[in-house]
Amino acid sequence: MRIVFIHPNYHSGGAEIAGNWPPAWVAYLTGSLRAAGFDDIHFIDAMTHHIGPEALRARLAELRPDVVGTTAITPAIYEAEAVLQIAAEVAPDALRVLGGIHATFMFRQVLSEAPQVDVIVRGEGEEIVVALMQAVEQGRWPADRRKIKGLAFREGDEIVATQAAATVKNLDAIDPDWSILDWDKYIYVPLGVKVAIPNMARGCPFTCSFCSQWKFWRDYRVRDPKKVADEIERLVEDHGVGFFILADEEPTINKKKFVEFCQELIDRGLNERVKWGINTRVTDIYRDRDLLKFYRKAGLVHVSLGTEAAAQLKLDLFNKETTVAQNKEAIRLLREADIFTEAQFIVGLDNETAETLEETYQMAWDWQPDLANWSMYTPWPFTPLFQDIRDQVEVFDFSKYNFVTPIMKPAALTRGELLDGVMKNYRRFYMKKALFHYPWRGTGFRRRYLLGCLKAFLKAGVGRTFYDLGKAGYWGPQTKASVDFHFDDTRQIAEAQMADWEASADRAARAAERRAAVKGQMKERAVERSFRMPADVAACGGGKEQMAE
């Protein structure tokens, strides 16, 4: 049975600035499938290779697959649907499978708008995909499709979602097949080396209202640090990887295992052969302030901090549980440990003004991170914050949900003015860094890394790919009134998806009412049963004092 995985040809002016990122999802799925006995697996990275529809059509006709699988984050969903439309035309007998975070939560929307999608894999894919492929290979598809957990599909006029599958409990049993990738294409521009995105942990115990990762991965699980180090060692020795970023939302949550991982890298000498970066919370940096130099010794050179917003009001709205003062202190601590810092700011909510945009710039310059990013607030349609502000959302063209396009329109600004304000922040921050900091601060690796980051920004700026400026027609402040984001106004939320949201909201409201009623009854009973403790009552064991802890 021949399986062909395809990464959709979607591009935006965001993370691609730093290079081509290897699609880790295909390595993890392929590894699990090979372990289950499937060996005829092919991969087409249409994004990295810029493979258009006709070239993709020719490749699929040549491969003649039995199964075609693709994935999609929200902005790539239409490209993923287009991939499966081509598959439907070229290989009509092949099973067409879609996975990823968008399809997981928006399966009713996808199945309503894209009849070419045969089945959706909801959630963590490794075990579900194996069960699905076994059913296909053994001739049990589609007869047994309701028996396979974690799927969604159409059955006549009905959209069916089977019972959710359990999360992968034994992450150490997963052995990704990184050989499926063409490694020469995945280069980290700042250092000019091959880059990987391995996985140490899955899930997040925090519930930031704008984020969906904690919903997708559900429970938090960490791999054995030795196993992760084994994987890093293979990536370095077999594929020549010189830089990696841990894909985890926050790899430092489990301090003990993160320290063990760092020690493994040092003990194996990998800290001298590969550098790496992470995303994490400012609170973990402050907690580990005495370990930061140890982390740097292990090869950690880049930390991206979710500072999110300069105004504490916004941090509270996002349920971020951090303070502005903690953000500044975390950056100072990292700088002292010679670890590059990247501060992430979210802009573009309803209360954004020219003054608040200026405030984020002033704070960024005051904090002095090495890098700063201003990301447009993107209301993922499956997050709690989206449900709270749904009445304010005017754009449902998901291809623009990419952190660089202003989906939300602030009350006091036009979208063009918002974009111009963000570009003004970028221009000032990086111009001053380029003139007064990057060429003169430090020598050797530090200077080379920062100049490499500057090169990545300049390359994207000259090519007009940065922030999708070329597509929007932005050339400076003089064009802020004429920029066009080309929203597809025909895109709307499907009735089936709306009905599902409303049903979920009703269930949540009823559950909240039940909890409130039970809580009220307990209080009433507590009052009825209350009594005053006798003055001469004895403590544990008959003594006059309570037992020691």
Side-chain angles (χ1 to χ4, degrees):
M1 187 174 77
R2 176 163 290 178
I3 302 168
V4 175
F5 288 126
I6 303 170
H7 195 70
N9 186 20
Y10 176 81
H11 299 272
S12 73
E16 291 175 73
I17 293 169
N20 293 323
W21 304 97
W25 67 271
V26 73
Y28 283 89
L29 291 185
T30 300
S32 295
L33 286 167
R34 291 202 194 284
F38 296 92
D39 55 11
D40 193 356
I41 305 173
H42 302 259
F43 176 53
I44 303 171
D45 188 347
M47 179 180 181
T48 298
H49 295 274
H50 295 268
I51 298 174
E54 293 310 311
L56 180 60
R57 188 182 300 274
R59 287 283 288 127
L60 284 176
E62 176 187 349
L63 287 169
R64 300 174 62 185
D66 298 296
V67 177
V68 176
T70 188
T71 186
I73 56 174
T74 292
I77 184 59
Y78 305 140
E79 287 293 339
E81 291 174 357
V83 163
L84 296 185
Q85 180 59 45
I86 291 172
E89 296 167 3
V90 176
D93 294 330
L95 180 70
R96 299 178 293 277
V97 185
L98 175 63
I101 192 166
H102 186 87
T104 290
F105 294 117
M106 299 288 287
F107 64 89
R108 295 187 186 279
Q109 173 81 28
V110 173
L111 292 173
S112 296
E113 70 187 9
Q116 68 270 30
V117 179
D118 288 329
V119 60
I120 286 172
V121 172
R122 296 164 40 239
E124 232 166 341
E126 288 90 351
E127 294 177 349
I128 303 172
V129 166
V130 168
L132 175 59
M133 293 303 104
Q134 288 173 337
V136 174
E137 184 182 49
Q138 296 165 12
R140 295 185 288 106
W141 180 271
D144 284 357
R145 59 184 176 177
R146 284 182 175 260
K147 299 178 182 178
I148 302 173
K149 295 180 180 179
L151 300 181
F153 47 83
R154 283 178 309 277
E155 198 169 78
D157 295 331
E158 181 186 4
I159 294 176
V160 178
T162 64
Q163 180 182 340
T167 55
V168 178
K169 302 305 180 186
N170 184 12
L171 291 183
D172 291 328
I174 296 177
D175 185 18
D177 179 10
W178 292 106
S179 67
I180 194 77
L181 301 176
D182 178 5
W183 282 98
D184 289 338
K185 298 297 182 180
Y186 304 112
I187 302 298
Y188 185 58
V189 172
L191 291 177
V193 297
K194 295 177 185 177
V195 61
I197 313 178
N199 187 240
M200 181 174 174
R202 291 184 178 179
C204 182
F206 300 103
T207 57
C208 296
S209 62
F210 60 87
C211 181
S212 58
Q213 292 298 312
W214 56 274
K215 292 181 65 179
F216 183 83
W217 299 111
R218 294 184 284 173
D219 52 325
Y220 177 69
R221 294 145 288 149
V222 188
R223 295 170 62 191
D224 180 346
K226 293 182 184 296
K227 295 282 189 181
V228 183
D230 289 342
E231 187 174 332
I232 301 301
E233 198 161 27
R234 291 197 301 272
L235 285 167
V236 172
E237 293 185 350
D238 297 345
H239 306 294
V241 167
F243 187 82
F244 69 86
I245 294 179
L246 288 177
D248 313 23
E249 290 302 298
E250 187 186 352
T252 54
I253 292 175
N254 190 316
K255 178 180 176 179
K256 180 176 181 291
K257 289 199 173 184
F258 187 75
V259 169
E260 290 176 8
F261 172 65
C262 290
Q263 191 62 57
E264 277 293 320
L265 296 181
I266 293 171
D267 292 345
R268 302 181 191 206
L270 289 169
N271 58 322
E272 301 295 336
R273 303 174 62 189
V274 63
K275 303 303 179 187
W276 50 291
I278 62 171
N279 298 284
T280 194
R281 290 168 61 92
V282 298
T283 49
D284 285 9
I285 297 301
Y286 188 76
R287 179 200 69 193
D288 296 352
R289 57 193 178 278
D290 295 331
L291 287 167
L292 295 180
K293 290 185 178 179
F294 167 70
Y295 295 163
R296 178 64 180 84
K297 181 182 178 182
L300 176 61
V301 298
H302 190 134
V303 171
S304 179
L305 292 171
T307 51
E308 310 306 1
Q312 185 61 45
L313 172 64
K314 293 181 185 176
L315 291 175
D316 293 340
L317 174 65
F318 292 150
N319 195 29
K320 192 67 182 177
E321 302 176 13
T322 60
T323 67
V324 170
Q326 288 172 332
N327 294 336
K328 183 175 181 178
E329 178 66 6
I331 290 171
R332 185 189 68 80
L333 291 168
L334 288 166
R335 186 167 56 243
E336 290 182 352
D338 194 32
I339 297 174
F340 303 107
T341 56
E342 180 178 358
Q344 302 279 356
F345 297 98
I346 290 179
V347 297
L349 272 81
D350 181 66
N351 63 343
E352 197 74 73
T353 64
E355 290 73 26
T356 58
L357 285 173
E358 176 66 21
E359 183 183 1
T360 61
Y361 168 74
Q362 294 297 339
M363 281 203 166
W365 195 253
D366 176 52
W367 296 350
Q368 278 300 303
D370 297 294
L371 304 164
N373 282 319
W374 284 267
S375 298
M376 298 292 184
Y377 168 62
T378 302
W380 301 124
F382 30 78
T383 59
L385 187 55
F386 180 89
Q387 297 301 326
D388 292 340
I389 66 170
R390 194 169 71 190
D391 292 342
Q392 302 172 35
V393 180
E394 302 170 339
V395 176
F396 299 100
D397 179 355
F398 293 135
S399 68
K400 305 298 183 182
Y401 279 49
N402 52 20
F403 292 116
V404 303
T405 304
I407 299 301
M408 306 296 292
K409 181 196 169 301
L413 298 170
T414 66
R415 288 185 173 87
E417 289 170 338
L418 174 60
L419 176 63
D420 183 60
V422 169
M423 289 302 106
K424 179 181 177 182
N425 285 358
Y426 273 113
R427 284 193 298 267
R428 290 183 293 171
F429 185 87
Y430 285 100
M431 186 176 295
K432 291 170 73 173
K433 284 285 187 180
L435 291 175
F436 305 114
H437 285 230
Y438 292 166
W440 321 112
R441 299 294 176 92
T443 59
F445 180 78
R446 166 167 279 276
R447 183 179 180 186
R448 179 164 64 94
Y449 190 84
L450 290 174
L451 289 176
C453 291
L454 183 62
K455 173 187 174 183
F457 272 105
L458 291 175
K459 180 180 178 182
V462 171
R464 309 294 296 157
T465 57
F466 178 65
Y467 243 74
D468 266 355
L469 298 181
K471 295 178 183 178
Y474 176 85
W475 292 92
Q478 71 277 11
T479 60
K480 63 184 177 184
S482 61
V483 293
D484 186 352
F485 299 104
H486 305 287
F487 295 127
D488 183 350
D489 296 331
T490 67
R491 299 285 185 177
Q492 296 295 325
I493 301 297
E495 291 184 8
Q497 190 67 55
M498 288 291 292
D500 189 48
W501 281 348
E502 290 167 2
S504 297
D506 288 342
R507 288 194 298 270
R510 288 196 297 271
E513 290 175 0
R514 287 195 296 271
R515 289 194 298 270
V518 171
K519 188 175 181 180
Q521 291 173 358
M522 292 176 67
K523 284 184 177 179
E524 291 176 1
R525 291 172 183 172
V527 171
E528 293 173 359
R529 296 174 180 175
S530 63
F531 64 92
R532 185 175 298 277
M533 184 77 72
D536 59 349
V537 70
C540 298
K544 296 296 183 182
E545 297 181 359
Q546 291 292 330
M547 187 176 293
E549 291 287 346

